[in-house]
Amino acid sequence: MAFASVDVEGLALLIARLEGAASSLQGVCADLTGRANALDVPVRELRKVEHIATWVDGQLPGLRRRLDLARVADTALPIALRGGVVTIVEPVLDARQAEAVGRGLAAELVAIDSTGEQAAVRLRALLARLEGHVGDPDVMSGFYAELGTACTERLAYVVAEMAPGLEAREEWSGRGERDLQVLGRGFAAALHDTDPPAGFAATVAAFGRAPADHDVAWGRLALLQHGTIPTRHLVAFTRANALDALVEDLSTDVRGDVLDGRPAAVGLPHDRMELAFNALATDPDAARLAISAGPGTGVMVERVHAYNARFGVRVDQAFGAALAAGAGVGEDPARHAAATRFAFDAITATARLDGTMWFAREHYAAIATAWAPEMLAGATAEACRVPESTRSRPEGWEDIPGVQPRFYLSLEDTRGFLATFGHTDELSAPFDRAVGELYYGLMANAVRLDATAGNGEQMGRVASRFGSLAGAQYLAQHQVRSEMDAQAQATRDRLGTATGLVLDQVAGPGGLIGTVLWEAGQFGVNQGLDAFVEGDVDASHTGGLEAQAVRVGLLQDAVIAQILVANDSRHAETLPAALRSPTGGLIDPVEIAYSPALEAQFTMWITSTNGSSGEVDTYDVVGQTSDRFLGGFGRVKILFGEP
């Protein structure tokens, strides 16, 4: 046994060129041979050229076999690593030999006609041999062609029924789940066979039709849980065996659950919808195509929500994962056209639901994180705000400097979607981090634009939009959180800022490491804020909240000042040495908030720039920017009728 490294794209290109060259050379030889014969000219030397073309043609089947093996090996890699070099095992059987191996293994499996420990031992031995071929599409298509459709549909049940016998041996504990993985990976490989046997083609066709028996649907979907299923098959199989049953009228039971212990024996859920969405979550293209088919993504979101509520199942985690995959979460690049359309439909439909699918919340947060610029645009509370969500640039829209939204959400849809994951700080943290980085980057860009223009227009505009987003998230969290105590809520409302912290270190401009402060409506009870409450402050809860309010206001001003100093050198001219970082910018704002001495230095420096004869007034810019932020926050509260 030896190993060969194969460049998948390179080999595919080589085969295409050899096919073209061999065909062209054979055509030229045939033409020249005809002419030579007509002129009674010997063609002995020409036969040597024909031999070259014939030899190349004879090499192509072996090369195609290796390409098929390499492509299956490639699908086993993470998406970001595909399309490179993979390893295959040499020597390689030809396609007919490989198919015969698969058929032989299938015949042995069919011969196991009982259950219990003895049958389980035979099954275990056979699957151990089969595992060595799960990356070979010709072996596996021969295996499933020999099994036939009915046996293939029941494979998951066979393994589950054998599981007690497997468990009888300690070294085989948990083998049921692992054996189904072998069969699933093999089924996926078979689907990559470019010229499958007729028997397997019939099985593929059957899997794409709705079965009369729900148990059959579960058995089919169980085979899709492992390996990389080609997108077209994954869409067809999940629609036919699950999603198409999610009709508007759910008065009849469409679950198709397998309610005995067999699913657990192979590590799978009972619900076929959950199986379908779990499979779709592994393929962003398939998720988009399957969920958006028929009435569309919005209707599917509504029907899954109704299904989840109607039958008390837990399909929401799997559905959330499929939605996130379709919305581009984890893709590179994520913000492409297909993901944009899907994300828009998923966000707007989910935002309008009555209630949240509880176990989908982390996935909703991931979607919002991937589309943070669009959430920022959607939170606009100014005159240009969008009355109805749209994928087209609305008339009268005012751009946010540095942001080019792919779609435009209404303020209501923005708040609605933020509420789907606003129940805890932990759920909101990924979104807060993304918005924190966006805040830092856009504010830095605005500072540079204003320095060139000689005004503060862009900083004010950006601050206002972030204030609106802070207000929308604050109201969304207030809507869904029940743990806010009365004192904390009263302090939030009285301050009108509802500011919070995300103390995550991110790279700032010029290599500066700054603490991003995101005003996310989490003021008062955040664990991050507790570190800034000193022991000499009133120990009561109210006193703690008041102390936090002071710290938050100081942090907000210090972050703005840090961005000013880093992006407009004029603001750094009077910066005291005690506040200057090694790179020449303002030190970390958290250090200022934590140290009374640094706080005093910072306050003295900012105040000293007010009305000075210098070129810039840092005090004035910081104050105006904070006011614009608070103004955006306040407008959102007013629009939603909040005091």
Side-chain angles (χ1 to χ4, degrees), residues 43-129:
V43 294
R44 181 180 303 171
E45 297 302 317
L46 190 58
R47 297 298 184 196
K48 296 180 180 179
V49 178
E50 287 182 328
H51 177 71
I52 294 173
T54 302
W55 179 86
V56 170
D57 203 46
Q59 300 305 306
L60 287 172
L63 292 174
R64 294 190 191 103
R65 262 284 287 159
R66 286 164 175 80
L67 179 59
D68 287 345
L69 290 168
R71 281 176 168 162
V72 172
D74 191 54
T75 65
L77 298 173
I79 293 176
L81 299 179
R82 293 178 189 173
V85 176
V86 298
T87 300
I88 62 173
V89 178
E90 294 280 1
V92 173
L93 299 174
D94 67 34
R96 287 191 299 274
Q97 292 171 328
E99 180 183 332
V101 169
R103 288 184 179 276
L105 290 168
E108 291 184 45
L109 177 61
V110 172
I112 302 174
D113 57 358
S114 61
T115 59
E117 184 176 353
Q118 183 177 2
V121 169
R122 294 176 61 193
L123 176 66
R124 176 81 286 283
L126 188 149
L127 291 180
R129 290 159 53 204

Side-chain angles (χ1 to χ4, degrees), residues 148-157 187 203 205-225 237-238 240-242 255-259 262 268 270-273 275:
T149 301
C151 285
T152 299
E153 291 169 339
R154 290 203 55 80
L155 268 181
Y157 294 111
F187 186 73
T203 294
F207 270 52
R209 297 189 294 268
D213 187 340
H214 287 170
D215 277 6
V216 170
W218 188 93
R220 292 175 178 177
L221 292 166
L223 285 177
L224 308 185
Q225 304 305 301
F237 296 168
T238 53
N241 293 282
R255 284 174 294 176
D257 282 7
V258 178
L259 297 177
R262 289 176 294 180
L268 295 181
H270 294 84
D271 188 87
R272 62 169 168 160
M273 300 299 170
L275 287 176

Side-chain angles (χ1 to χ4, degrees), residues 9 16 112 228 275 343 398 408 435 448 464 469 487 606-607 636:
E9 294 182 358
I112 302 174
T228 302
L275 287 176
E398 295 180 7
Y408 301 82
V435 175
R448 294 190 290 268
S464 177
L469 179 56
Q487 287 183 322
I606 285 286
T607 305
V636 169

